Amino acid sequence: MYPPQSTTPFPRRSRARLRSATRLRPRPRLAGKKRTQLRRAIYELGLSLSPPSFPPPLPLSRRLAARLVVETVESLLSSSRAGAGRGATTAAACEMEPAAAAAAMRKASSQASLADPDDFDLTRLLNHKPRINVERQRSFDDRSLSELSLSGAGAGGRGGWGGCGYSAGAESYESMYSPGGGLRSYCGTPASSTRLSFEPHPLVGEAWDALRRSLVSFRGQPLGTIAAVDHSAGEVLNYDQVFVRDFVPSALAFLMNGEPEVVRNFLLKTLLLQGWEKRIDRFKLGEGAMPASFKVLKDPKRGVDKLVADFGESAIGRVAPVDSGFWWIIILRAYTKSTGDMTLAEAPMCQKGIRLIMNQCLAEGFDTFPTLLCADGCCMIDRRMGVYGYPIEIQALFFMALRCALLMLKPDAEGKEIMERIVTRLAALSYHVRSYFWLDFQQLNDIYRFKTEEYSHTAVNKFNVNPESIPDWLFDFMPTRGGYFVGNVSPARMDFRWFALGNCVAILASLATPDQAAAIMDLIEERWEDLVGEMPVKICYPAIEGHEWQTVTGCDPKNTRWSYHNGGSWPVLLWLLTAACIKTGRLKIARRAIELAEARLARDGWPEYYDGKLGRYVGKQARKFQTWSIAGYLVAKMMLEDPSHLGMISLEEDKAMKPVLRRSASWTV
């Protein structure tokens, strides 16, 4: 049903040449001494990293690597037939001239990749069906993953599927990931199989050790990861709790490494917490509200563990976490995609939990927009930072959660009605955000020329945004190539700041169109020093300061300029940037960002955030060994190693759901 986890086979033409050259029937085996000698020849060519004392793995053979092997075998056979005849084939392979072997090794070094632990047999690979066949005519960094093709049994030539391309061979990008049998990442623990032709970064093992130290158990079962394991800090505060949003990269890391148990336990326990009565003072929260965090307490008298949840009553400013429910749905969908296990998502308790979250978000009120109205501090930016209203982070997560819920809800009597409401909301939400939150050079110029105080349905400046409110920094910041979703849009107010999380999630959820996604990546490249700097990634840009900082943050001493949420650099966002880069085919950006992080993270003790305009200094109040900084790095590395992991967290645009967009009467010709 799913593509097997195997190496890429030789192309059809190379298969024929190989069979012709060796004069062997399909799937024969070289026996005894000849097979050992041929293994030695392949090893000396640099196409295998294991010594021949044990059956070495054959690396992933792509088009050029296959051609190299075939040409090598043909040349060896030709020379052997001219001398001792066909029986000397394998001996000639072992006696290659050192110079020729070195040249072949140099030629093959850039082509060899993943390894298959199967016993070596050239023609055994002929009938293997690959998961991904990457065309190597131009750099992989310059290609979008949407251009990758899945090769079927009869795929020939470029592109697979008879040259029809990806869209003709698969309905969505999600099919690239094989549930139930996914690769265990080489970036994992020693239990993971060695699949790469290069050694992992030494930081990987250290990161896994640190991540496992953050695990917390409940009655003997792993339940989640606490926010930080910083023994040097004097006051623990709430960093010893399991936060829903903080656990997201940890969940993805464990899923990618083939360890779904902790993720399943987390999903079930937080679902039980959702059913608790939630009160702040005398006010009762909605049934669908998920906790911001929970803590495992040991009861010394009874000798049992108990959970204590925080739904916002202990948070700074007493704000309920709007994003917790969205992240829970996204983790559930990632678990389902990773394991292929639909039983958890289809369980009555999970179906009820999804419906409660959706009912709370889709409740009718006085809204005139499809976006979700929120208080300040209700998401990752959990302090007063002027993100009240309709922040892009919440809108992107809302959109993604709606799409994930639509995929997992059962169309029964209770779920069908919610599914219909979701489809209606998705169409309106995507149109609203793509139209009114999007800003590029042309749109900025249009806003600059807006008229105000327009009345009636023919108004062009629908939100009555005053052009004088455009900040001065934006005119120099906006390149002619690139764009992004602004931070907030509401009546007479447009927050022009860049927010990394909202824009990256918009790409992953396909809230951004392909052109908009490409423009966001263009902006990151054009404004690298501003948005990434020396430590990825800026949570927002630019920082607010002076009188604006006083009025917007309430003189918050933690959110001073270029610190914490006010323009600080957060390593956890590295995994979101990497995922967006993979989806848009901009891997050079991801590699550059990961290299920057690797140069500092372990040396600085895995801090929570960095300060300074370039992210050069460890944050003045940053905790060390911050769990999501560690997990974010691991997830970024594993996705870059195996891009099919992206299927857990990425959604392709649903053309069946996409509405026909027509200009309204408010547009002028």
Side-chain angles (χ1 to χ4, degrees):
M1 179 176 180
Y2 298 101
Q5 306 292 337
S6 62
T7 60
T8 302
F10 299 113
R12 180 180 295 176
R13 184 179 301 175
S14 298
R15 301 182 210 174
R17 293 174 62 192
L18 181 60
R19 289 180 180 136
S20 174
T22 56
R23 296 183 181 178
L24 296 175
R25 293 186 300 274
R27 300 181 66 83
R29 280 181 176 272
L30 295 174
K33 184 177 180 180
K34 292 183 179 180
R35 184 171 58 188
T36 303
Q37 290 174 331
L38 190 54
R39 287 178 187 159
R40 164 59 71 179
I42 297 297
Y43 176 73
E44 293 296 332
L45 286 173
L47 295 177
S48 175
L49 297 179
S50 299
S53 58
F54 187 79
L58 182 69
L60 184 68
S61 301
R62 295 186 172 91
R63 194 170 301 275
L64 294 179
R67 186 181 306 157
L68 172 64
V69 173
V70 172
E71 291 173 355
T72 303
V73 172
E74 286 180 336
S75 63
L76 292 174
L77 288 173
S78 299
S79 61
S80 63
R81 284 169 183 157
R86 184 179 176 184
T89 300
T90 54
C94 293
E95 297 170 1
M96 285 185 64
E97 291 294 331
M105 185 181 298
R106 284 194 300 269
K107 185 177 180 182
S109 62
S110 63
Q111 308 300 335
S113 183
L114 301 180
D116 191 331
D118 292 339
D119 195 357
F120 176 72
D121 182 7
L122 284 177
T123 55
R124 183 177 180 178
L125 296 178
L126 298 181
N127 296 320
H128 279 197
K129 301 175 183 178
R131 201 167 36 153
I132 303 175
N133 182 23
V134 182
E135 184 179 335
R136 290 289 179 180
Q137 298 302 317
R138 56 192 174 103
S139 171
F140 184 79
D141 291 341
D142 298 330
R143 297 172 59 80
S144 168
L145 281 180
S146 61
E147 297 178 64
L148 299 182
S149 59
L150 301 179
S151 300
R158 301 177 185 173
W161 297 101
C164 295
Y166 177 77
S167 59
E171 292 181 1
S172 72
Y173 176 80
E174 297 175 17
S175 62
M176 292 178 63
Y177 190 76
S178 174
L183 284 169
R184 283 181 66 111
S185 173
Y186 182 49
C187 287
T189 59
S192 302
S193 58
T194 303
R195 293 182 176 272
L196 287 180
S197 62
F198 53 83
E199 291 296 324
H201 195 281
L203 204 60
V204 169
E206 182 179 338
W208 272 110
D209 291 341
L211 180 60
R212 296 192 188 284
R213 286 196 298 269
S214 70
L215 280 169
V216 62
S217 297
F218 179 73
R219 298 177 183 176
Q221 296 294 323
L223 185 57
T225 53
I226 59 175
V229 188
D230 188 358
H231 300 295
S232 64
E235 192 176 1
V236 177
L237 298 177
N238 58 354
Y239 284 87
D240 61 345
Q241 299 186 22
V242 180
F243 283 80
V244 174
R245 74 172 68 95
D246 291 38
F247 182 67
V248 174
S250 297
L252 295 176
F254 286 119
L255 289 174
M256 291 177 185
N257 202 48
E259 303 176 52
E261 180 187 6
V262 60
V263 183
R264 181 184 179 90
N265 294 339
F266 172 86
L267 290 167
L268 290 174
K269 285 296 182 290
T270 48
L271 190 61
L272 292 176
L273 295 176
Q274 184 193 40
W276 288 12
E277 184 179 31
K278 303 171 277 284
R279 286 184 177 274
I280 297 180
D281 294 333
R282 298 184 180 183
F283 182 75
K284 183 179 179 181
L285 277 68
E287 287 185 279
M290 281 285 186
S293 62
F294 60 85
K295 184 177 182 178
V296 179
L297 293 180
K298 308 289 184 180
D299 190 337
K301 294 183 179 180
R302 300 174 56 188
V304 295
D305 299 340
K306 65 177 182 178
L307 296 177
V308 177
D310 175 18
F311 291 91
E313 67 270 23
S314 300
I316 298 173
R318 303 300 185 264
V319 179
V322 177
D323 62 339
S324 287
F326 300 152
W327 281 124
W328 185 88
I329 291 176
I330 293 169
I331 296 174
L332 177 60
R333 188 257 178 187
Y335 172 87
T336 303
K337 286 292 296 180
S338 173
T339 62
D341 178 17
M342 291 293 297
T343 57
L344 179 62
E346 293 179 351
M349 57 168 38
C350 284
Q351 290 288 304
K352 181 181 178 181
I354 296 172
R355 290 196 302 268
L356 288 175
I357 296 172
M358 292 293 101
N359 276 327
Q360 187 162 353
C361 297
L362 299 173
E364 295 180 355
F366 292 97
D367 299 304
T368 56
F369 313 126
T371 42
L372 203 60
L373 182 63
C374 305
D376 214 342
C378 64
C379 50
M380 178 181 175
I381 299 179
D382 57 2
R383 303 169 75 93
R384 183 176 166 187
M385 268 292 293
V387 297
Y388 61 89
Y390 305 91
I392 184 60
E393 176 179 336
I394 290 297
Q395 311 316 318
L397 288 172
F398 181 32
F399 183 85
M400 192 168 193
L402 287 172
R403 292 202 59 192
C404 291
L406 188 63
L407 292 171
M408 294 185 293
L409 280 172
K410 298 169 68 174
D412 52 18
E414 295 177 301
K416 187 175 181 181
E417 185 265 339
I418 294 181
M419 293 175 70
E420 292 174 352
R421 291 165 60 192
I422 289 175
V423 171
T424 303
R425 189 63 166 263
L426 281 170
L429 181 61
S430 62
Y431 177 79
H432 184 89
V433 174
R434 291 171 182 174
S435 300
Y436 304 124
F437 277 70
W438 182 252
L439 186 69
D440 55 18
F441 183 83
Q442 183 59 49
Q443 182 66 9
L444 177 60
N445 204 164
D446 292 342
I447 297 174
Y448 178 70
R449 293 168 51 84
F450 269 171
K451 296 179 180 179
T452 58
E453 306 300 327
E454 292 182 301
Y455 182 75
S456 83
H457 64 276
T458 60
V460 175
N461 186 2
K462 292 186 177 182
F463 295 93
N464 197 33
V465 176
N466 194 323
E468 298 300 322
S469 67
I470 301 176
D472 293 336
W473 63 264
L474 185 58
F475 293 103
D476 295 328
F477 174 78
M478 179 61 70
T480 55
R481 185 176 68 97
Y484 66 103
F485 292 110
V486 298
N488 215 313
V489 177
S490 58
R493 176 176 178 248
M494 184 173 284
D495 186 349
F496 293 97
R497 286 177 293 175
W498 153 273
F499 290 88
L501 193 151
N503 277 272
C504 288
V505 172
I507 293 175
L508 296 178
S510 290
L511 176 58
T513 66
D515 289 341
Q516 289 173 336
I520 293 172
M521 303 312 297
D522 289 339
L523 179 73
I524 294 174
E525 281 190 310
E526 292 284 338
R527 297 292 179 259
W528 182 269
E529 291 296 317
D530 295 327
L531 304 182
V532 179
E534 297 184 13
M535 174 56 65
V537 177
K538 286 287 180 194
I539 189 172
C540 70
Y541 179 88
I544 54 178
E545 52 187 318
H547 179 70
E548 185 182 13
W549 167 77
Q550 294 176 346
T551 56
V552 171
T553 71
C555 300
D556 188 349
K558 196 169 185 178
N559 273 331
T560 55
R561 64 173 185 171
W562 307 115
S563 180
Y564 203 52
H565 295 144
N566 189 12
S569 298
W570 291 69
V572 63
L573 298 175
L574 182 63
W575 79 266
L576 282 164
L577 176 63
T578 301
C581 289
I582 295 174
K583 184 168 183 179
T584 55
R586 311 289 275 274
L587 272 70
K588 286 182 179 178
I589 298 177
R591 290 195 184 102
R592 184 181 177 188
I594 290 175
E595 288 172 0
L596 285 174
E598 287 175 337
R600 292 281 308 272
L601 279 178
R603 186 181 69 189
D604 294 337
W606 303 96
E608 180 183 10
Y609 64 95
Y610 286 77
D611 285 352
K613 193 171 184 179
L614 295 176
R616 182 175 295 175
Y617 306 99
V618 175
K620 58 185 176 182
Q621 296 188 41
R623 295 296 172 116
K624 298 294 185 72
F625 293 96
Q626 187 78 14
T627 302
W628 67 356
S629 296
I630 299 166
Y633 165 73
L634 286 173
V635 172
K637 289 287 284 186
M638 285 189 280
M639 281 194 296
L640 198 59
E641 168 204 328
D642 183 2
S644 66
H645 285 316
L646 184 65
M648 278 192 280
I649 200 68
S650 175
L651 294 166
E652 285 302 291
E653 187 171 12
D654 189 347
K655 292 182 174 59
M657 180 194 70
K658 185 178 179 181
V660 178
L661 301 181
R662 298 184 177 88
R663 287 188 174 183
S664 65
S666 62
W667 284 83
T668 58
V669 180

